[in-house]
Amino acid sequence: PFLIKAGIITGTDAEVALVKQALPIIQERIVKLDEAPQLLKFLFVKEFAVDADAVAKISDGPSKDILKRSLSDLEGLATWNHESIEAVLRTSLIEELGLKPRIAFTALRIATTGSTISPPLFESMELLGKEACLARISKALSLNPCQFLEVNFPPCHTVQSSTLGYGVIGSPADSGSVSLGSSPGTPA
């Protein structure tokens, strides 16, 4: 009922069956049942998206390398279950590349679930399915963190730089926006 009330599922037999599979893996991570929608929504979203605050964590070079390597390893995986997913990724990322699990698997968690918080990674990937996981990892590789930036500068007074001759123009009466002046004393 919590997932239906939250608008995560509509209650179809297929959705309920997937929820029943997922409940054992989230039991230890929730205190109250109303926390379940947040942990399981990644399984049911129509348009997958990565949380804006998590994009930067998978947009740097090392994270992209992890995702590329994982994508390559997972594409060749014949059996899609949490044991085989974990085995291939641990071998590739931990043993061969020498990465710490937290570093290696955070990028994958974000790419597949859209969040830094999710049920256990390999079980989540199994439930999500091979096609969806590969598609999400591919999509994550194309993300640009700049498209998610929201910059809100506090109001300020004119600041002049004696070295460069440019300053930040603003005042407490402004609406919080800050613009760069073309030269000291020239309004922006």
Side-chain angles (χ1 to χ4, degrees):
F2 289 102
L3 294 170
I4 293 172
K5 186 177 179 181
I8 304 295
I9 64 172
T10 59
T12 67
D13 289 342
E15 290 172 335
V16 171
L18 186 55
V19 169
K20 286 180 180 179
Q21 287 180 286
L23 285 177
I25 68 172
I26 67 165
Q27 261 181 333
E28 294 178 9
R29 294 183 183 237
I30 62 172
V31 176
K32 299 185 298 185
L33 285 175
D34 63 356
E35 297 168 340
Q38 183 65 28
L39 284 176
L40 295 178
K41 70 180 180 180
F42 77 95
L43 290 169
F44 301 101
V45 294
K46 303 294 184 241
E47 290 294 322
F48 177 70
V50 171
D51 291 345
D53 61 339
V55 172
K57 295 178 182 177
I58 60 170
S59 299
D60 62 351
S63 294
K64 296 254 186 205
D65 291 341
I66 289 168
L67 294 177
K68 288 176 192 170
R69 174 96 177 227
S70 300
L71 185 62
S72 175
D73 293 335
L74 293 170
E75 285 173 334
L77 199 57
T79 303
W80 193 262
N81 60 41
H82 68 274
E83 293 95 352
S84 61
I85 295 167
E86 181 174 7
V88 74
L89 292 174
R90 283 197 182 276
T91 298
S92 179
L93 302 174
I94 308 304
E95 293 172 21
E96 293 175 12
L97 294 182
L99 298 173
K100 301 228 181 273
R102 186 181 59 79
I103 301 297
F105 301 139
T106 295
L108 276 168
R109 179 179 311 283
I110 294 168
T112 55
T113 68
S115 177
T116 57
I117 301 168
S118 74
L121 176 61
F122 309 115
E123 290 82 350
S124 295
M125 292 174 73
E126 178 181 355
L127 289 173
L128 194 55
K130 184 175 183 176
E131 185 178 315
C133 282
L134 298 179
R136 289 179 180 193
I137 294 168
S138 294
K139 182 176 180 179
L141 283 166
S142 68
L143 290 177
N144 176 356
C146 294
Q147 70 194 58
F148 296 94
L149 290 180
E150 290 182 27
V151 180
N152 295 313
F153 292 105
C156 62
H157 296 284
T158 301
V159 178
Q160 292 186 358
S161 168
S162 59
T163 309
L164 300 174
Y166 294 94
V168 177
I169 310 299
S171 73
D174 290 342
S175 63
S177 62
V178 176
S179 59
L180 291 175
S182 56
S183 66
T186 305

